[in-house]
Amino acid sequence: MITFPDGFLWGAATASYQIEGAADTREQSIWDVFSHTPGKVADGHTGDVACDHYHRYREDVALMAEIGLKAYRFSIAWPRIADLSFYDRLVDELLERGISPVATLYHWDLPVTYDWRDRDTAYAFADYATKAYEVIGDRVSMWTTLNEPWVSAFVGYGSGRHAPGVESSEDPFTVAHHLLLAHGLGTQALRAAGASQVSITLNLTPVIGDESGLIDTLANRMFLDPVLLGTDPLERIPDDDLKIINQPIDALGVNYYTVNRVVVDPSSPGSPEHPGSAGLRWLPPEGTPTEMNWEVAPFGLTDLLVRLSRDYPGTPLMITENGAAYEDTVHDQDRIAYLDAHFRAAAAAIEQGADLRGYFVWSLMDNFEWAYGYHKRFGIIRVDYDTLERTLKDSARWYHDVILNNGL
Ligand code: IFM
């Protein structure tokens, strides 16, 4: 039997645009514009209705309680800034069921009036953080400033596969700088308002086969180092900003899905999401991949957590996302196998000294998977998109037992 430390925080995660719907009750975000632009999202899917969580949150919190979740990670839609009362109701409902609210301020649904290429957006983010804290700060256990700034910068403003759909090799660096600044200013704003627990979530992907270290810098270190060490491996961020970015934080959120396998190939143009990577070619996944065509690589999670504890000591770690898209069935043995292997990999990292405090499965329910629309299903709860009916998958029942036993 593998057991996890006492008080280990088992949870599940979602994000506002991916589940809430009720688009008519808020301002527009860049994802509303992007998804309504023909050809951007598979089959013209949008988040207008999504899982209608905005109206069905009570039912969803009841399902969380049935699974036995200790914590729920959700994101706040910045475009709801004029009226954040939905999160007030959600947080109360969670607490009534004994579930700790973990709130992310930015999971990609930027109000259309802003653009991350503008430095001012970072300051607007800090004002928004203050406002959000005023509404639910007294009841949130952990704040997360940003979710996966790499994706916002390099997929939103590099390859253009995500909103706002900008294709550029230079903008991602400006955007990454401003996002990091937003993290620093947002953390300062949350602290000034009274927050004791503040974190950031990074998507971190171990790289296999790149001796130069370039891809590790572009995928991982260019976010880790400024936040946790106050240094910039790319030497693009001015010192004054690095000081703001390098705020003490209480946890590092880690989103882990897979590894990057690359090989030197002088004829390769590289990847548009890793500017400067010409001469490197991405290899196909080894073994049977998930429906995202991502390699199932639990060893990468152990390596990553151990590396983080070694290179960035003193910051507790939380897995804020891990999970897999598989075919649409409630008998999801593939997902159980994926989670089982990754839970074991996390336990192995703890054995080796990693200070891992919690684990949030992605995702609580099937949802809008960005450019793939509703075609990729990550949920441990199935959503019928015709009726919006929810059904616990076998993985949710299996997870219930893991949580109950605090182990496998
Ligand atoms: O659905 C996304 C989520 O919004 C951010 N992390 C990765 C997930 C799966 O692609």
Side-chain angles (χ1 to χ4, degrees), residues 16 40 81 102 150 170 190 226 230 243 277 319 321 326 345 349 371 381-382 385-386 398 401 407:
S16 45
K40 296 297 184 189
I81 188 161
V102 173
W150 180 86
E170 192 48 41
L190 289 169
K243 282 198 191 86
S277 63
I319 295 169
E321 285 182 26
Y326 282 115
I381 295 173
R382 178 174 190 275
Y385 292 116
D386 294 325
W398 171 84
D401 292 348

Side-chain angles (χ1 to χ4, degrees), residues 18 107-108 147-148 257 292 294 321 362 369-370 378:
Q18 294 180 271
H107 197 128
W108 310 351
N147 179 75
E148 301 186 0
Y257 289 93
M292 298 293 280
W294 293 346
E321 285 182 26
W362 185 269
E369 178 53 28
W370 308 113
F378 277 88

Side-chain angles (χ1 to χ4, degrees), residues 149-150 154 173 176-177 180 200 202-207 210-237 242 245-246 252 260 274 304 307-308 310-312:
W150 180 86
F154 288 94
F173 297 99
H177 173 186
L180 286 165
I200 184 172
L202 303 178
N203 56 307
L204 299 172
T205 313
V207 186
D210 174 25
E211 297 297 320
S212 75
L214 171 74
I215 305 305
D216 185 50
T217 297
L218 292 174
N220 305 315
R221 283 190 53 213
M222 66 176 275
F223 296 94
L224 285 165
D225 290 10
V227 169
L228 297 170
L229 305 176
T231 58
D232 174 13
L234 296 175
E235 298 182 348
R236 285 172 176 257
I237 304 177
L242 280 172
I245 294 164
N246 179 220
L252 173 68
N260 262 317
H274 299 84
L304 174 64
R307 168 196 172 182
L308 291 171
R310 186 196 59 217
D311 294 353
Y312 307 92

Side-chain angles (χ1 to χ4, degrees), residues 89-152:
R89 297 193 290 277
L90 173 65
V91 163
D92 279 348
E93 192 73 18
L94 289 166
L95 292 175
E96 243 167 67
R97 299 274 190 174
I99 300 168
S100 291
V102 173
T104 299
L105 284 165
Y106 185 68
H107 197 128
W108 310 351
D109 40 358
L110 184 70
V112 279
T113 40
Y114 296 118
D115 186 316
W116 284 113
R117 288 170 293 189
D118 299 335
R119 186 180 170 90
D120 286 353
T121 301
Y123 291 86
F125 176 80
D127 292 343
Y128 155 57
T130 305
K131 180 89 189 291
Y133 189 90
E134 275 165 17
V135 179
I136 54 172
D138 55 336
R139 285 155 292 153
V140 162
S141 318
M142 168 69 77
W143 288 93
T144 304
T145 52
L146 308 177
N147 179 75
E148 301 186 0
W150 180 86
V151 176
S152 302

Side-chain angles (χ1 to χ4, degrees), residues 256-329:
Y256 177 79
Y257 289 93
T258 191
V259 291
N260 262 317
R261 286 185 191 273
V262 295
V263 69
V264 175
D265 174 355
S267 69
S268 169
S271 146
E273 284 163 7
H274 299 84
S277 63
L280 286 173
R281 182 162 49 82
W282 267 251
L283 293 172
E286 291 196 353
T288 308
T290 71
E291 287 239 320
M292 298 293 280
N293 200 31
W294 293 346
E295 179 171 334
V296 178
F299 64 89
L301 179 59
T302 310
D303 293 352
L304 174 64
L305 295 172
V306 170
R307 168 196 172 182
L308 291 171
S309 307
R310 186 196 59 217
D311 294 353
Y312 307 92
T315 305
L317 304 172
M318 292 267 232
I319 295 169
T320 38
E321 285 182 26
N322 172 248
Y326 282 115
E327 64 166 317
D328 181 18
T329 169

